[in-house]
Amino acid sequence: MRPRLVLIGTGGTIAATAGDARTLTGYQVTQGIEAMLAAIPGVADIADIRCEQPFNVDSRNLSTARVLRLAHEVDRHVRDAEVDAVVVTHGTDSLEETAFFLHLTVRSPKPIVLIGAMRPASALSADGPLNLVNALLTAADPASRDRGVLVVMNDRILAARHAAKRHTTRVDAFGADGAGVLGAITDGRVRYDMRPDLPETAPFSLTGLRAMPPVDIILDYQDAPRHPYTAAIQAGSRGIVVAAMGNGSLSPAALRGCAEAGRRGLVCVRASRVPDGQVTDAAQGPLASHALNPLQARIVLRLALARGLGQVGIKDLLQRL
Ligand code: ASP
């Protein structure tokens, strides 16, 4: 039977056009998902594809409400016996946040594939059409089942657990640390080299989840000031993730700021501004993010707080993810 896919368009550069073919950065989101798909020859050979467009925005404009709406939609589709896989087109600037959110909240053996493009649809050598075809091929391939949420960019298949944007403009902008590069698509053929060893997928249920508490990320650095911590407390944040130095080392201001935040009931987590490696436990002070980067730790903390987990439960979860 032909694979049945749902293609959800949410916007981003892949759906954008600029004034001329050489303009790669000054663009507007203008293309609906149906039109994007219709412009690519041969996609009907891949699968039966049903399009949806919950919104069409640059990913820097994505609110929590929109991400939750998208997650609920993806979850509904993968539970539908008539749907084999879901593909989401997305702006690349915050794609890794949505992908990790889906990784934490949608449990299904069915492929869920996110893609974007670094160049607008109007550009010379636009990367969107091939990325989209590759994502559809990946989603339609039974070999993609049970590999967790996937990100397909520039011919590679990455685990959402590990995928991150690592270059501001190049088409090979996305990478994945350690075990995150799972396979590739070449000449329309999907090939996997590995299956991710995901310690825990979807530890959070989406049932009834309509909002999440605010959690801030504060970058730490030499001679850092205290005022971002005071501002976070005053703004009513429920948690702070420090993008700390090295293995979660904190400046004096960050240490004092987290201590004060802790006294006021905020949960503080030390992640690292260093791209690779883990943050290990310390005897005192904020919780360690372990293998999670600051963006990922923030998402976990928001979900954990939304589900009423306390310090002990959050500590345990951070160790396992
Ligand atoms: N500005 C874009 C976005 O929506 C960047 C991109 O998609 O490449 O994130």
Side-chain angles (χ1 to χ4, degrees), residues 271-292:
S272 181
R273 64 186 208 182
V274 179
D276 292 325
Q278 304 217 2
V279 172
T280 55
D281 275 324
Q284 305 171 353
L287 303 173
S289 72
H290 296 275
L292 304 180

Side-chain angles (χ1 to χ4, degrees), residues 173-321:
F174 279 73
D177 63 0
V181 182
L182 307 183
I185 309 106
T186 314
D187 279 346
R189 266 200 57 222
V190 175
R191 202 190 88 131
Y192 282 98
D193 296 312
M194 50 188 278
R195 191 170 283 283
D197 184 8
L198 298 169
E200 184 151 15
T201 57
F204 297 101
S205 158
L206 281 170
T207 308
L209 189 67
R210 298 277 160 222
M212 291 186 293
V215 168
D216 294 322
I217 299 175
I218 300 178
L219 182 66
D220 201 20
Y221 42 83
Q222 288 181 343
D223 204 20
R226 170 88 174 267
H227 59 78
Y229 298 87
T230 313
I233 295 166
Q234 279 172 0
S237 293
R238 299 273 313 283
I240 294 172
V241 173
V242 186
M245 294 175 266
N247 177 20
S249 311
L250 299 179
S251 65
L255 266 175
R256 284 197 296 271
C258 286
E260 176 63 13
R263 283 192 291 276
R264 307 285 190 112
L266 281 75
V267 179
C268 295
V269 174
R270 290 175 302 121
S272 181
R273 64 186 208 182
V274 179
D276 292 325
Q278 304 217 2
V279 172
T280 55
D281 275 324
Q284 305 171 353
L287 303 173
S289 72
H290 296 275
L292 304 180
N293 68 33
L295 289 171
Q296 294 171 331
R298 173 177 177 266
I299 294 168
V300 169
L301 194 47
R302 295 188 80 195
L303 280 163
L305 290 167
R307 288 302 185 204
L309 263 67
Q311 190 92 2
V312 174
I314 295 170
K315 180 173 188 213
D316 175 57
L317 192 62
L318 290 170
Q319 264 162 359
R320 286 187 282 123
L321 290 174

Side-chain angles (χ1 to χ4, degrees), residues 121-146:
S122 51
L124 275 176
S125 303
D127 54 332
L130 186 56
N131 281 349
L132 182 50
V133 167
N134 284 342
L136 295 169
L137 288 166
T138 303
D141 195 320
S144 298
R145 287 176 65 88
D146 273 316

Side-chain angles (χ1 to χ4, degrees), residues 61 115 162 167 229 273:
N61 295 326
I115 66 135
H162 299 279
H167 197 277
Y229 298 87
R273 64 186 208 182

